[in-house]
């Protein structure tokens, strides 16, 4: 994958992770357990995608996030 696409994908994933973490903290404060579990699953998926990119596609000499 070309370098610029890796950068853009990691920026997108990082933004989504930050948003999900913020919503999760609010769900914890609101005591909304179902939303909290949903967001934890979303976070898990996003982190796994970023981990896959790092291990299999990204340049080994570059850290994107």
């Amino acid at each position: 994958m070309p370098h610029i696409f890796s950068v853009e994908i990691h920026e997108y994933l990082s933004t989504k992770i930050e948003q999900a973490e913020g919503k999760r903290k609010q769900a914890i404060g609101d005591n909304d357990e179902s939303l909290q579990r949903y967001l934890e699953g979303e976070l898990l998926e996003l982190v796994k995608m970023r981990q896959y990119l790092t291990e299999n596609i990204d340049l080994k000499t570059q850290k994107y996030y």
Side-chain angles (χ1 to χ4, degrees), residues 1-10 52-53 56-59 64:
M1 177 179 294
H3 173 72
I4 190 67
F5 293 120
S6 290
V7 172
E8 290 176 1
I9 291 169
H10 277 285
Y52 175 81
L53 290 172
N56 298 301
I57 297 173
D58 295 339
L59 299 173
Y64 296 93

Side-chain angles (χ1 to χ4, degrees), residues 3-21:
H3 173 72
I4 190 67
F5 293 120
S6 290
V7 172
E8 290 176 1
I9 291 169
H10 277 285
E11 287 178 3
Y12 174 80
L13 291 173
S14 294
T15 300
K16 293 304 241 180
I17 289 170
E18 288 175 16
Q19 291 173 352
E21 286 175 343

Side-chain angles (χ1 to χ4, degrees), residues 4 9-11 17 20 24 26-29 38-39 42 46-47 53 61 64-65:
I4 190 67
I9 291 169
H10 277 285
E11 287 178 3
I17 289 170
R24 184 179 155 269
Q26 185 170 354
I28 291 171
Y38 170 80
L39 293 167
E42 183 179 21
L46 291 167
V47 169
L53 290 172
T61 59
Y64 296 93
Y65 59 93

